[in-house]
mmCIF file of all heavy atoms in Angstrom:
data_model
loop_
_atom_site.group_PDB
_atom_site.id
_atom_site.type_symbol
_atom_site.label_atom_id
_atom_site.label_comp_id
_atom_site.label_asym_id
_atom_site.label_seq_id
_atom_site.Cartn_x
_atom_site.Cartn_y
_atom_site.Cartn_z
ATOM 1 N N SER A 692 -44.488 30.807 -22.929
ATOM 2 C CA SER A 692 -43.551 29.692 -22.994
ATOM 3 C C SER A 692 -42.288 30.038 -22.227
ATOM 4 O O SER A 692 -41.929 31.208 -22.086
ATOM 5 C CB SER A 692 -43.191 29.367 -24.452
ATOM 6 O OG SER A 692 -42.250 28.311 -24.516
ATOM 7 N N PHE A 693 -41.609 28.991 -21.757
ATOM 8 C CA PHE A 693 -40.254 29.107 -21.225
ATOM 9 C C PHE A 693 -39.254 28.381 -22.120
ATOM 10 O O PHE A 693 -38.092 28.219 -21.758
ATOM 11 C CB PHE A 693 -40.166 28.509 -19.814
ATOM 12 C CG PHE A 693 -40.960 29.255 -18.779
ATOM 13 C CD1 PHE A 693 -42.225 28.824 -18.406
ATOM 14 C CD2 PHE A 693 -40.448 30.391 -18.171
ATOM 15 C CE1 PHE A 693 -42.961 29.505 -17.449
ATOM 16 C CE2 PHE A 693 -41.173 31.085 -17.213
ATOM 17 C CZ PHE A 693 -42.437 30.636 -16.854
ATOM 18 N N ASP A 694 -39.705 27.933 -23.266
ATOM 19 C CA ASP A 694 -38.896 27.111 -24.161
ATOM 20 C C ASP A 694 -37.774 27.943 -24.770
ATOM 21 O O ASP A 694 -38.026 28.923 -25.474
ATOM 22 C CB ASP A 694 -39.777 26.519 -25.260
ATOM 23 C CG ASP A 694 -39.055 25.461 -26.090
ATOM 24 O OD1 ASP A 694 -37.818 25.365 -25.984
ATOM 25 O OD2 ASP A 694 -39.744 24.755 -26.850
ATOM 26 N N THR A 695 -36.537 27.566 -24.503
ATOM 27 C CA THR A 695 -35.402 28.335 -25.031
ATOM 28 C C THR A 695 -35.156 28.067 -26.505
ATOM 29 O O THR A 695 -34.347 28.749 -27.131
ATOM 30 C CB THR A 695 -34.128 28.014 -24.233
ATOM 31 O OG1 THR A 695 -33.904 26.600 -24.248
ATOM 32 C CG2 THR A 695 -34.263 28.485 -22.796
ATOM 33 N N ALA A 696 -35.833 27.079 -27.059
ATOM 34 C CA ALA A 696 -35.730 26.880 -28.507
ATOM 35 C C ALA A 696 -36.471 27.974 -29.258
ATOM 36 O O ALA A 696 -36.243 28.194 -30.455
ATOM 37 C CB ALA A 696 -36.279 25.506 -28.889
ATOM 38 N N LEU A 697 -37.380 28.655 -28.556
ATOM 39 C CA LEU A 697 -38.096 29.790 -29.120
ATOM 40 C C LEU A 697 -37.368 31.075 -28.735
ATOM 41 O O LEU A 697 -36.396 31.053 -27.990
ATOM 42 C CB LEU A 697 -39.533 29.805 -28.606
ATOM 43 C CG LEU A 697 -40.323 28.504 -28.825
ATOM 44 C CD1 LEU A 697 -41.675 28.586 -28.126
ATOM 45 C CD2 LEU A 697 -40.500 28.227 -30.312
ATOM 46 N N ASP A 698 -37.841 32.194 -29.230
ATOM 47 C CA ASP A 698 -37.237 33.479 -28.885
ATOM 48 C C ASP A 698 -37.633 33.824 -27.448
ATOM 49 O O ASP A 698 -38.760 34.228 -27.182
ATOM 50 C CB ASP A 698 -37.715 34.560 -29.854
ATOM 51 C CG ASP A 698 -36.983 35.876 -29.659
ATOM 52 O OD1 ASP A 698 -36.345 36.060 -28.602
ATOM 53 O OD2 ASP A 698 -37.039 36.723 -30.568
ATOM 54 N N TYR A 699 -36.692 33.655 -26.516
ATOM 55 C CA TYR A 699 -36.985 33.798 -25.090
ATOM 56 C C TYR A 699 -37.529 35.189 -24.774
ATOM 57 O O TYR A 699 -38.524 35.341 -24.062
ATOM 58 C CB TYR A 699 -35.715 33.523 -24.286
ATOM 59 C CG TYR A 699 -35.918 33.455 -22.789
ATOM 60 C CD1 TYR A 699 -36.108 32.237 -22.152
ATOM 61 C CD2 TYR A 699 -35.906 34.603 -22.006
ATOM 62 C CE1 TYR A 699 -36.294 32.158 -20.777
ATOM 63 C CE2 TYR A 699 -36.087 34.546 -20.637
ATOM 64 C CZ TYR A 699 -36.282 33.317 -20.033
ATOM 65 O OH TYR A 699 -36.471 33.265 -18.668
ATOM 66 N N GLN A 700 -36.901 36.214 -25.300
ATOM 67 C CA GLN A 700 -37.272 37.579 -24.934
ATOM 68 C C GLN A 700 -38.551 38.045 -25.617
ATOM 69 O O GLN A 700 -39.108 39.078 -25.233
ATOM 70 C CB GLN A 700 -36.139 38.544 -25.261
ATOM 71 C CG GLN A 700 -34.894 38.303 -24.424
ATOM 72 C CD GLN A 700 -33.955 39.487 -24.455
ATOM 73 O OE1 GLN A 700 -34.268 40.557 -23.947
ATOM 74 N NE2 GLN A 700 -32.796 39.299 -25.055
ATOM 75 N N ALA A 701 -39.038 37.299 -26.610
ATOM 76 C CA ALA A 701 -40.251 37.707 -27.321
ATOM 77 C C ALA A 701 -41.505 37.057 -26.759
ATOM 78 O O ALA A 701 -42.610 37.324 -27.248
ATOM 79 C CB ALA A 701 -40.118 37.371 -28.804
ATOM 80 N N GLN A 702 -41.381 36.218 -25.724
ATOM 81 C CA GLN A 702 -42.550 35.539 -25.178
ATOM 82 C C GLN A 702 -43.489 36.528 -24.476
ATOM 83 O O GLN A 702 -43.078 37.601 -24.040
ATOM 84 C CB GLN A 702 -42.117 34.439 -24.218
ATOM 85 C CG GLN A 702 -41.350 33.316 -24.878
ATOM 86 C CD GLN A 702 -42.124 32.680 -26.022
ATOM 87 O OE1 GLN A 702 -43.298 32.337 -25.862
ATOM 88 N NE2 GLN A 702 -41.477 32.537 -27.178
ATOM 89 N N THR A 703 -44.749 36.137 -24.381
ATOM 90 C CA THR A 703 -45.757 36.972 -23.727
ATOM 91 C C THR A 703 -45.786 36.668 -22.232
ATOM 92 O O THR A 703 -45.766 35.503 -21.824
ATOM 93 C CB THR A 703 -47.139 36.723 -24.347
ATOM 94 O OG1 THR A 703 -47.077 37.000 -25.749
ATOM 95 C CG2 THR A 703 -48.194 37.610 -23.703
ATOM 96 N N HIS A 704 -45.847 37.726 -21.446
ATOM 97 C CA HIS A 704 -45.794 37.631 -19.981
ATOM 98 C C HIS A 704 -46.834 38.608 -19.446
ATOM 99 O O HIS A 704 -46.774 39.812 -19.700
ATOM 100 C CB HIS A 704 -44.380 38.029 -19.523
ATOM 101 C CG HIS A 704 -44.150 38.017 -18.037
ATOM 102 N ND1 HIS A 704 -44.511 39.074 -17.223
ATOM 103 C CD2 HIS A 704 -43.555 37.104 -17.228
ATOM 104 C CE1 HIS A 704 -44.142 38.804 -15.978
ATOM 105 N NE2 HIS A 704 -43.562 37.620 -15.954
ATOM 106 N N VAL A 705 -47.826 38.090 -18.726
ATOM 107 C CA VAL A 705 -48.919 38.911 -18.196
ATOM 108 C C VAL A 705 -48.953 38.776 -16.685
ATOM 109 O O VAL A 705 -48.900 37.660 -16.160
ATOM 110 C CB VAL A 705 -50.282 38.484 -18.779
ATOM 111 C CG1 VAL A 705 -51.389 39.423 -18.294
ATOM 112 C CG2 VAL A 705 -50.246 38.444 -20.298
ATOM 113 N N VAL A 706 -49.030 39.903 -15.990
ATOM 114 C CA VAL A 706 -49.217 39.904 -14.542
ATOM 115 C C VAL A 706 -50.611 40.445 -14.250
ATOM 116 O O VAL A 706 -50.987 41.508 -14.749
ATOM 117 C CB VAL A 706 -48.156 40.763 -13.830
ATOM 118 C CG1 VAL A 706 -48.388 40.740 -12.324
ATOM 119 C CG2 VAL A 706 -46.753 40.268 -14.152
ATOM 120 N N PHE A 707 -51.358 39.715 -13.455
ATOM 121 C CA PHE A 707 -52.736 40.071 -13.102
ATOM 122 C C PHE A 707 -52.822 40.126 -11.580
ATOM 123 O O PHE A 707 -52.528 39.149 -10.894
ATOM 124 C CB PHE A 707 -53.688 39.022 -13.676
ATOM 125 C CG PHE A 707 -55.156 39.283 -13.446
ATOM 126 C CD1 PHE A 707 -55.673 40.565 -13.299
ATOM 127 C CD2 PHE A 707 -56.055 38.218 -13.393
ATOM 128 C CE1 PHE A 707 -57.018 40.795 -13.101
ATOM 129 C CE2 PHE A 707 -57.408 38.420 -13.193
ATOM 130 C CZ PHE A 707 -57.895 39.710 -13.045
ATOM 131 N N ASP A 708 -53.234 41.286 -11.053
ATOM 132 C CA ASP A 708 -53.249 41.537 -9.609
ATOM 133 C C ASP A 708 -54.662 41.385 -9.064
ATOM 134 O O ASP A 708 -55.535 42.209 -9.339
ATOM 135 C CB ASP A 708 -52.708 42.941 -9.336
ATOM 136 C CG ASP A 708 -52.646 43.265 -7.848
ATOM 137 O OD1 ASP A 708 -53.004 42.397 -7.032
ATOM 138 O OD2 ASP A 708 -52.224 44.386 -7.516
ATOM 139 N N MET A 709 -54.862 40.346 -8.277
ATOM 140 C CA MET A 709 -56.177 40.093 -7.645
ATOM 141 C C MET A 709 -56.022 40.043 -6.132
ATOM 142 O O MET A 709 -56.765 39.340 -5.441
ATOM 143 C CB MET A 709 -56.735 38.753 -8.133
ATOM 144 C CG MET A 709 -56.746 38.578 -9.627
ATOM 145 S SD MET A 709 -56.851 36.826 -10.069
ATOM 146 C CE MET A 709 -55.210 36.276 -9.584
ATOM 147 N N GLY A 710 -55.053 40.758 -5.602
ATOM 148 C CA GLY A 710 -54.665 40.561 -4.216
ATOM 149 C C GLY A 710 -55.125 41.628 -3.254
ATOM 150 O O GLY A 710 -55.835 42.572 -3.610
ATOM 151 N N PRO A 711 -54.656 41.524 -2.016
ATOM 152 C CA PRO A 711 -55.048 42.455 -0.957
ATOM 153 C C PRO A 711 -54.207 43.720 -0.942
ATOM 154 O O PRO A 711 -53.065 43.730 -1.414
ATOM 155 C CB PRO A 711 -54.803 41.635 0.322
ATOM 156 C CG PRO A 711 -53.655 40.729 -0.048
ATOM 157 C CD PRO A 711 -53.868 40.385 -1.496
ATOM 158 N N TYR A 712 -54.783 44.759 -0.409
ATOM 159 C CA TYR A 712 -54.044 45.970 -0.050
ATOM 160 C C TYR A 712 -53.421 45.697 1.314
ATOM 161 O O TYR A 712 -54.124 45.442 2.293
ATOM 162 C CB TYR A 712 -55.013 47.149 0.018
ATOM 163 C CG TYR A 712 -54.372 48.484 0.333
ATOM 164 C CD1 TYR A 712 -54.073 49.382 -0.677
ATOM 165 C CD2 TYR A 712 -54.073 48.851 1.642
ATOM 166 C CE1 TYR A 712 -53.501 50.618 -0.392
ATOM 167 C CE2 TYR A 712 -53.494 50.069 1.937
ATOM 168 C CZ TYR A 712 -53.218 50.948 0.913
ATOM 169 O OH TYR A 712 -52.634 52.170 1.190
ATOM 170 N N ARG A 713 -52.045 45.746 1.399
ATOM 171 C CA ARG A 713 -51.412 45.215 2.619
ATOM 172 C C ARG A 713 -50.612 46.246 3.416
ATOM 173 O O ARG A 713 -50.497 46.117 4.631
ATOM 174 C CB ARG A 713 -50.527 44.024 2.243
ATOM 175 C CG ARG A 713 -51.326 42.886 1.631
ATOM 176 C CD ARG A 713 -50.558 41.582 1.583
ATOM 177 N NE ARG A 713 -49.531 41.539 0.558
ATOM 178 C CZ ARG A 713 -48.868 40.435 0.206
ATOM 179 N NH1 ARG A 713 -49.137 39.288 0.818
ATOM 180 N NH2 ARG A 713 -47.948 40.453 -0.738
ATOM 181 N N THR A 714 -49.987 47.237 2.780
ATOM 182 C CA THR A 714 -49.223 48.247 3.514
ATOM 183 C C THR A 714 -49.374 49.584 2.815
ATOM 184 O O THR A 714 -49.976 49.689 1.744
ATOM 185 C CB THR A 714 -47.714 47.901 3.582
ATOM 186 O OG1 THR A 714 -47.111 48.181 2.309
ATOM 187 C CG2 THR A 714 -47.481 46.443 3.947
ATOM 188 N N ASP A 715 -48.755 50.628 3.394
ATOM 189 C CA ASP A 715 -48.795 51.955 2.776
ATOM 190 C C ASP A 715 -48.060 51.997 1.448
ATOM 191 O O ASP A 715 -48.234 52.937 0.670
ATOM 192 C CB ASP A 715 -48.185 52.992 3.723
ATOM 193 C CG ASP A 715 -49.072 53.265 4.922
ATOM 194 O OD1 ASP A 715 -50.267 52.908 4.860
ATOM 195 O OD2 ASP A 715 -48.578 53.823 5.922
ATOM 196 N N HIS A 716 -47.218 51.008 1.177
ATOM 197 C CA HIS A 716 -46.561 50.931 -0.129
ATOM 198 C C HIS A 716 -47.462 50.301 -1.193
ATOM 199 O O HIS A 716 -47.127 50.319 -2.367
ATOM 200 C CB HIS A 716 -45.259 50.123 -0.019
ATOM 201 C CG HIS A 716 -44.092 50.946 0.414
ATOM 202 N ND1 HIS A 716 -42.970 50.406 0.994
ATOM 203 C CD2 HIS A 716 -43.860 52.273 0.359
ATOM 204 C CE1 HIS A 716 -42.105 51.362 1.271
ATOM 205 N NE2 HIS A 716 -42.626 52.501 0.899
ATOM 206 N N SER A 717 -48.603 49.718 -0.771
ATOM 207 C CA SER A 717 -49.547 49.165 -1.730
ATOM 208 C C SER A 717 -50.208 50.298 -2.508
ATOM 209 O O SER A 717 -50.380 51.404 -1.990
ATOM 210 C CB SER A 717 -50.615 48.338 -1.023
ATOM 211 O OG SER A 717 -50.057 47.234 -0.349
ATOM 212 N N HIS A 718 -50.582 49.994 -3.741
ATOM 213 C CA HIS A 718 -51.341 50.946 -4.544
ATOM 214 C C HIS A 718 -52.792 50.493 -4.632
ATOM 215 O O HIS A 718 -53.124 49.335 -4.344
ATOM 216 C CB HIS A 718 -50.723 51.060 -5.942
ATOM 217 C CG HIS A 718 -49.440 51.823 -5.959
ATOM 218 N ND1 HIS A 718 -48.782 52.180 -7.125
ATOM 219 C CD2 HIS A 718 -48.677 52.311 -4.951
ATOM 220 C CE1 HIS A 718 -47.679 52.849 -6.832
ATOM 221 N NE2 HIS A 718 -47.593 52.937 -5.516
ATOM 222 N N LEU A 719 -53.652 51.410 -5.056
ATOM 223 C CA LEU A 719 -55.087 51.133 -5.167
ATOM 224 C C LEU A 719 -55.348 50.567 -6.557
ATOM 225 O O LEU A 719 -55.971 51.200 -7.406
ATOM 226 C CB LEU A 719 -55.876 52.420 -4.907
ATOM 227 C CG LEU A 719 -55.610 53.045 -3.533
ATOM 228 C CD1 LEU A 719 -56.213 54.449 -3.450
ATOM 229 C CD2 LEU A 719 -56.160 52.161 -2.416
ATOM 230 N N ASP A 720 -54.882 49.339 -6.775
ATOM 231 C CA ASP A 720 -54.751 48.799 -8.128
ATOM 232 C C ASP A 720 -55.395 47.435 -8.317
ATOM 233 O O ASP A 720 -54.920 46.626 -9.118
ATOM 234 C CB ASP A 720 -53.274 48.717 -8.498
ATOM 235 C CG ASP A 720 -52.468 47.816 -7.555
ATOM 236 O OD1 ASP A 720 -53.031 47.347 -6.556
ATOM 237 O OD2 ASP A 720 -51.282 47.575 -7.834
ATOM 238 N N ALA A 721 -56.471 47.148 -7.605
ATOM 239 C CA ALA A 721 -57.103 45.834 -7.722
ATOM 240 C C ALA A 721 -57.513 45.556 -9.160
ATOM 241 O O ALA A 721 -58.092 46.408 -9.841
ATOM 242 C CB ALA A 721 -58.316 45.755 -6.807
ATOM 243 N N LEU A 722 -57.194 44.353 -9.642
ATOM 244 C CA LEU A 722 -57.456 43.849 -10.987
ATOM 245 C C LEU A 722 -56.611 44.559 -12.045
ATOM 246 O O LEU A 722 -56.961 44.585 -13.226
ATOM 247 C CB LEU A 722 -58.944 43.906 -11.330
ATOM 248 C CG LEU A 722 -59.879 43.193 -10.333
ATOM 249 C CD1 LEU A 722 -61.296 43.140 -10.891
ATOM 250 C CD2 LEU A 722 -59.397 41.798 -9.995
ATOM 251 N N ASN A 723 -55.488 45.072 -11.627
ATOM 252 C CA ASN A 723 -54.518 45.680 -12.545
ATOM 253 C C ASN A 723 -53.878 44.609 -13.422
ATOM 254 O O ASN A 723 -53.653 43.472 -12.990
ATOM 255 C CB ASN A 723 -53.449 46.392 -11.702
ATOM 256 C CG ASN A 723 -52.414 47.115 -12.534
ATOM 257 O OD1 ASN A 723 -52.719 47.673 -13.576
ATOM 258 N ND2 ASN A 723 -51.176 47.104 -12.067
ATOM 259 N N VAL A 724 -53.564 44.962 -14.663
ATOM 260 C CA VAL A 724 -52.915 44.061 -15.613
ATOM 261 C C VAL A 724 -51.674 44.742 -16.169
ATOM 262 O O VAL A 724 -51.715 45.921 -16.535
ATOM 263 C CB VAL A 724 -53.865 43.690 -16.776
ATOM 264 C CG1 VAL A 724 -53.128 42.894 -17.850
ATOM 265 C CG2 VAL A 724 -55.050 42.890 -16.266
ATOM 266 N N VAL A 725 -50.550 44.010 -16.228
ATOM 267 C CA VAL A 725 -49.339 44.489 -16.892
ATOM 268 C C VAL A 725 -49.001 43.483 -17.985
ATOM 269 O O VAL A 725 -48.931 42.281 -17.729
ATOM 270 C CB VAL A 725 -48.163 44.631 -15.904
ATOM 271 C CG1 VAL A 725 -46.895 45.051 -16.636
ATOM 272 C CG2 VAL A 725 -48.507 45.643 -14.814
ATOM 273 N N LEU A 726 -48.813 43.979 -19.193
ATOM 274 C CA LEU A 726 -48.584 43.116 -20.353
ATOM 275 C C LEU A 726 -47.225 43.385 -20.978
ATOM 276 O O LEU A 726 -46.914 44.519 -21.347
ATOM 277 C CB LEU A 726 -49.676 43.342 -21.403
ATOM 278 C CG LEU A 726 -49.447 42.699 -22.785
ATOM 279 C CD1 LEU A 726 -49.392 41.181 -22.682
ATOM 280 C CD2 LEU A 726 -50.543 43.145 -23.756
ATOM 281 N N TYR A 727 -46.429 42.333 -21.082
ATOM 282 C CA TYR A 727 -45.173 42.340 -21.837
ATOM 283 C C TYR A 727 -45.348 41.344 -22.976
ATOM 284 O O TYR A 727 -45.781 40.204 -22.765
ATOM 285 C CB TYR A 727 -44.013 41.918 -20.933
ATOM 286 C CG TYR A 727 -42.703 41.694 -21.667
ATOM 287 C CD1 TYR A 727 -41.691 42.650 -21.633
ATOM 288 C CD2 TYR A 727 -42.474 40.524 -22.390
ATOM 289 C CE1 TYR A 727 -40.486 42.441 -22.311
ATOM 290 C CE2 TYR A 727 -41.288 40.313 -23.066
ATOM 291 C CZ TYR A 727 -40.300 41.274 -23.027
ATOM 292 O OH TYR A 727 -39.113 41.065 -23.690
ATOM 293 N N SER A 728 -45.005 41.760 -24.198
ATOM 294 C CA SER A 728 -45.091 40.847 -25.327
ATOM 295 C C SER A 728 -44.267 41.399 -26.476
ATOM 296 O O SER A 728 -44.003 42.616 -26.550
ATOM 297 C CB SER A 728 -46.558 40.669 -25.771
ATOM 298 O OG SER A 728 -46.716 39.551 -26.611
ATOM 299 N N ALA A 729 -43.825 40.514 -27.351
ATOM 300 C CA ALA A 729 -43.076 40.900 -28.547
ATOM 301 C C ALA A 729 -41.838 41.729 -28.206
ATOM 302 O O ALA A 729 -41.467 42.651 -28.926
ATOM 303 C CB ALA A 729 -43.978 41.667 -29.522
ATOM 304 N N GLY A 730 -41.219 41.420 -27.042
ATOM 305 C CA GLY A 730 -39.937 42.019 -26.714
ATOM 306 C C GLY A 730 -39.972 43.291 -25.909
ATOM 307 O O GLY A 730 -38.911 43.899 -25.675
ATOM 308 N N ARG A 731 -41.162 43.721 -25.424
ATOM 309 C CA ARG A 731 -41.202 44.947 -24.633
ATOM 310 C C ARG A 731 -42.475 45.011 -23.803
ATOM 311 O O ARG A 731 -43.438 44.272 -24.038
ATOM 312 C CB ARG A 731 -41.097 46.183 -25.521
ATOM 313 C CG ARG A 731 -42.264 46.386 -26.482
ATOM 314 C CD ARG A 731 -42.299 47.815 -27.005
ATOM 315 N NE ARG A 731 -42.506 48.754 -25.917
ATOM 316 C CZ ARG A 731 -42.079 50.023 -25.938
ATOM 317 N NH1 ARG A 731 -41.417 50.486 -26.980
ATOM 318 N NH2 ARG A 731 -42.325 50.823 -24.919
ATOM 319 N N THR A 732 -42.482 45.933 -22.832
ATOM 320 C CA THR A 732 -43.685 46.193 -22.054
ATOM 321 C C THR A 732 -44.658 46.981 -22.912
ATOM 322 O O THR A 732 -44.302 48.018 -23.489
ATOM 323 C CB THR A 732 -43.358 46.984 -20.784
ATOM 324 O OG1 THR A 732 -42.464 46.214 -19.978
ATOM 325 C CG2 THR A 732 -44.614 47.275 -19.984
ATOM 326 N N LEU A 733 -45.895 46.509 -22.987
ATOM 327 C CA LEU A 733 -46.917 47.168 -23.802
ATOM 328 C C LEU A 733 -47.968 47.860 -22.946
ATOM 329 O O LEU A 733 -48.382 48.974 -23.244
ATOM 330 C CB LEU A 733 -47.564 46.149 -24.735
ATOM 331 C CG LEU A 733 -46.602 45.556 -25.769
ATOM 332 C CD1 LEU A 733 -47.266 44.427 -26.539
ATOM 333 C CD2 LEU A 733 -46.103 46.639 -26.732
ATOM 334 N N LEU A 734 -48.430 47.215 -21.893
ATOM 335 C CA LEU A 734 -49.303 47.854 -20.907
ATOM 336 C C LEU A 734 -48.520 47.915 -19.603
ATOM 337 O O LEU A 734 -48.099 46.890 -19.078
ATOM 338 C CB LEU A 734 -50.589 47.045 -20.695
ATOM 339 C CG LEU A 734 -51.490 46.854 -21.904
ATOM 340 C CD1 LEU A 734 -52.632 45.900 -21.564
ATOM 341 C CD2 LEU A 734 -52.040 48.187 -22.395
ATOM 342 N N THR A 735 -48.320 49.107 -19.088
ATOM 343 C CA THR A 735 -47.432 49.276 -17.940
ATOM 344 C C THR A 735 -48.163 49.809 -16.728
ATOM 345 O O THR A 735 -49.168 50.525 -16.842
ATOM 346 C CB THR A 735 -46.270 50.228 -18.286
ATOM 347 O OG1 THR A 735 -45.350 50.275 -17.196
ATOM 348 C CG2 THR A 735 -46.769 51.637 -18.588
ATOM 349 N N ASP A 736 -47.660 49.464 -15.564
ATOM 350 C CA ASP A 736 -48.027 50.172 -14.344
ATOM 351 C C ASP A 736 -47.333 51.529 -14.389
ATOM 352 O O ASP A 736 -46.299 51.695 -15.043
ATOM 353 C CB ASP A 736 -47.560 49.369 -13.134
ATOM 354 C CG ASP A 736 -48.220 49.823 -11.846
ATOM 355 O OD1 ASP A 736 -47.918 50.949 -11.404
ATOM 356 O OD2 ASP A 736 -49.002 49.061 -11.267
ATOM 357 N N SER A 737 -47.862 52.504 -13.683
ATOM 358 C CA SER A 737 -47.304 53.857 -13.755
ATOM 359 C C SER A 737 -46.062 54.062 -12.908
ATOM 360 O O SER A 737 -45.353 55.052 -13.070
ATOM 361 C CB SER A 737 -48.371 54.889 -13.354
ATOM 362 O OG SER A 737 -49.407 54.899 -14.301
ATOM 363 N N GLY A 738 -45.765 53.151 -11.967
ATOM 364 C CA GLY A 738 -44.574 53.297 -11.138
ATOM 365 C C GLY A 738 -44.862 54.005 -9.830
ATOM 366 O O GLY A 738 -46.007 54.109 -9.387
#
């Protein structure tokens, strides 16, 4: 949700990577998932 009547920072936010490898800064991470929910990152990329 983006509804500000709800707790904005507690909303669930998922990033799903289905894209191309494009430069040397790209990682070998096809179908990677990053999950933020309940106010914090729960599944993280390693950086």
Side-chain angles (χ1 to χ4, degrees):
S692 178
F693 294 98
D694 190 347
T695 55
L697 306 173
D698 187 344
Y699 188 95
Q700 294 197 67
Q702 295 304 311
T703 302
H704 179 277
V705 184
V706 180
F707 182 28
D708 182 1
M709 309 160 289
Y712 182 99
R713 298 195 285 190
T714 76
D715 289 343
H716 275 158
S717 298
H718 286 187
L719 301 169
D720 60 354
L722 305 189
N723 182 36
V724 173
V725 177
L726 169 63
Y727 171 102
S728 196
R731 65 163 298 153
T732 299
L733 296 173
L734 299 174
T735 185
D736 196 291
S737 294

